[in-house]
Amino acid sequence: REDTPETLEATARLIAAAPELLAALIAMENHFGGLTDNMMLNVDATSASKAVRAAIAKARGEAVPA
């Protein structure tokens, strides 16, 4: 990985946005989380929900759910 000025700036922007991104993921999980247990959801929605749960766990320093 090369730390160019552009890469460093992009990393800094991502770190600055992290609290808002985490809050948005938590809000999505709170709103839509119960729907993922519904077998009527398509594979993409189920996969996205798992990715949201994994990102939240990782941000909290928790074990990433399987």
Side-chain angles (χ1 to χ4, degrees):
R1 179 185 107 153
E2 191 174 329
D3 289 330
T4 65
E6 294 82 14
T7 301
L8 294 173
E9 185 175 331
T11 300
R13 286 193 305 268
L14 181 58
I15 291 169
E20 290 88 358
L21 293 169
L22 178 58
L25 288 174
I26 291 169
M28 287 178 61
E29 177 62 20
N30 288 339
H31 187 74
F32 296 110
L35 297 176
T36 59
D37 297 328
N38 182 343
M39 295 305 290
M40 299 300 287
L41 287 179
N42 66 35
V43 175
D44 290 336
T46 301
S47 178
S49 178
K50 287 180 182 179
V52 166
R53 289 179 182 167
I56 291 169
K58 189 172 183 179
R60 290 178 170 165
E62 300 170 353
V64 175

